[in-house]
Amino acid sequence: MSLLQRIFQRYTQQHATEAEQELVHQWYQSYDRQPAAEMSEQEEKEVRNAIWLKFNKGLQEAGDVPARSVLYMRTTWLKYATAAVVTGACLTGFYWLTSRKNTPQYTAVAAGAGQHKKVALPDGSSLMLGANSQINVPEDFNKEARELQMPYGEVFYDVAKDNGKPFVIQSGPLTVKVLGTSFYMRLLKGVGQQEVLVKSGRVQVSSGDSVFGVLTRGSRLLYDSASGGFAIQQNKEKMAEQLEQGWLVFENTPYPLFAAIMESHYNIQIEDPGKKLSMAHFTAAFPPAAPLRDIMSVMTGIHHVSYKIEEHRLIIK
């Protein structure tokens, strides 16, 4: 057992000398000057017990068992779990507490199936969430940085310009970085294609250390998550304007993506048991309030199939 371990053992057993007690008290006080992590009473109790068990085990392995209960230990020491300095076994508890304190807290904002939601951010930016979409905004957004997450959905971003704080979006494997611009992003659940379409300004798109390029007005990037490949198209200004207005826009859209978009916007499940549309691609644009039957009548008519609707199921025949 190290000297420091013996001092803490004697301290917990109330056998420490005055000099040893003063040493321990000074160590505690160094943590009193730090802001404590916020925990509920139940969380503190669980951590308190976990730390004591680790501390007790460490001293048992060294040959001595402290008799004093952890309930008499100072709260600050328990909250920071710095018994790792004493036993080496409490490092896990310390890491859990400090990482919990430093982990950003997010507020999730979502629009359900068939819904749209406008969101105003503290920096003056505005977002329009399409159907079945979600963004996660950190509580400290715009304090030192403007970063958020888009786990899934369709979102049109109108970003307020701030040269000192780039606006960064993490969406699947893609990272989008802008200063002030307007653009559209799409990442749907179960679909391996992501899309970024710029209406105005400049947008940098990357994945990890790979920068795919800087998109300008009318540029559209399509990314395939399965292959990691991407393509950049130009002259898509009209499409960007339609998407900003909430139109449903399909341009050589493969059936799985077409079905996912329709399911999100109309809260319906599309089934194609005969796989009649599995290889089909769709090109058309419909205003925001277009009825489901109107869209499907056009699309199935083009591809010479029929359909029926049963409750929340649309079945291709």
Side-chain angles (χ1 to χ4, degrees), residues 2-19:
S2 69
L3 174 61
L4 191 56
Q5 284 179 310
R6 291 186 182 279
I7 290 174
F8 272 90
Q9 181 189 29
R10 288 197 291 272
Y11 179 82
T12 57
Q13 293 178 339
Q14 299 182 329
H15 296 155
T17 66
E18 291 185 5

Side-chain angles (χ1 to χ4, degrees), residues 58-261:
L59 293 181
Q60 284 180 331
E61 292 173 351
D64 293 296
V65 180
R68 195 177 185 192
S69 168
V70 71
L71 297 176
Y72 294 94
M73 291 184 173
R74 292 188 53 169
T75 303
T76 306
W77 183 49
L78 293 170
K79 285 189 176 180
Y80 285 92
T82 45
V85 179
V86 182
T87 65
C90 289
L91 184 59
T92 301
F94 176 73
Y95 174 79
W96 184 86
L97 285 173
T98 55
S99 63
R100 180 181 184 273
K101 175 185 174 183
N102 296 328
T103 300
Q105 301 299 309
Y106 289 88
T107 298
V109 182
Q115 299 178 341
H116 290 77
K117 181 176 291 187
K118 189 170 185 178
V119 178
L121 296 179
D123 67 333
S125 299
S126 62
L127 283 58
M128 179 59 73
L129 275 64
N132 199 23
S133 302
Q134 178 177 320
I135 58 168
N136 298 330
V137 184
E139 292 180 355
D140 60 354
F141 179 85
N142 200 39
K143 290 184 179 179
E144 296 182 1
R146 300 191 295 168
E147 300 180 359
L148 55 80
Q149 300 171 347
M150 178 183 149
Y152 59 87
E154 301 175 81
V155 179
F156 192 92
Y157 296 84
D158 192 354
V159 177
K161 189 170 185 178
D162 187 338
N163 291 332
K165 294 178 186 174
F167 194 102
V168 180
I169 304 162
Q170 186 65 49
S171 181
L174 295 188
T175 301
V176 171
K177 183 178 180 180
V178 306
L179 292 177
T181 183
S182 58
F183 61 101
Y184 167 83
M185 285 187 68
R186 176 163 58 200
L187 169 60
L188 299 185
K189 294 179 179 179
V191 178
Q193 185 188 85
Q194 287 185 253
E195 177 177 346
V196 180
L197 173 57
V198 179
K199 181 175 183 288
S200 65
R202 297 163 62 88
V203 174
Q204 176 183 289
V205 183
S206 61
S207 178
D209 296 329
S210 301
V211 177
F212 297 149
V214 176
L215 308 180
T216 55
R217 182 174 181 267
S219 299
R220 181 192 190 202
L221 181 141
L222 300 175
Y223 174 79
D224 184 82
S225 58
S227 65
F230 68 96
I232 297 178
Q233 304 171 347
Q234 305 295 339
N235 304 316
K236 302 299 180 183
E237 292 86 353
K238 183 176 181 180
M239 179 186 291
E241 292 175 0
Q242 290 175 324
L243 289 169
E244 181 184 21
Q245 296 167 10
W247 281 54
L248 286 175
V249 182
F250 306 100
E251 185 176 283
N252 199 31
T253 303
Y255 169 73
L257 179 55
F258 168 80
I261 293 172

Side-chain angles (χ1 to χ4, degrees), residues 28-88:
Y28 285 144
Q29 289 167 5
S30 70
Y31 284 93
D32 281 337
R33 291 190 290 270
Q34 303 184 39
E38 295 182 359
M39 291 188 295
S40 67
E41 182 178 344
Q42 180 61 30
E43 288 177 323
E44 182 173 329
K45 181 179 178 182
E46 292 173 357
V47 174
R48 185 197 308 271
N49 291 335
I51 293 170
W52 179 247
L53 289 173
K54 290 180 178 292
F55 179 69
N56 194 11
K57 180 180 178 182
L59 293 181
Q60 284 180 331
E61 292 173 351
D64 293 296
V65 180
R68 195 177 185 192
S69 168
V70 71
L71 297 176
Y72 294 94
M73 291 184 173
R74 292 188 53 169
T75 303
T76 306
W77 183 49
L78 293 170
K79 285 189 176 180
Y80 285 92
T82 45
V85 179
V86 182
T87 65

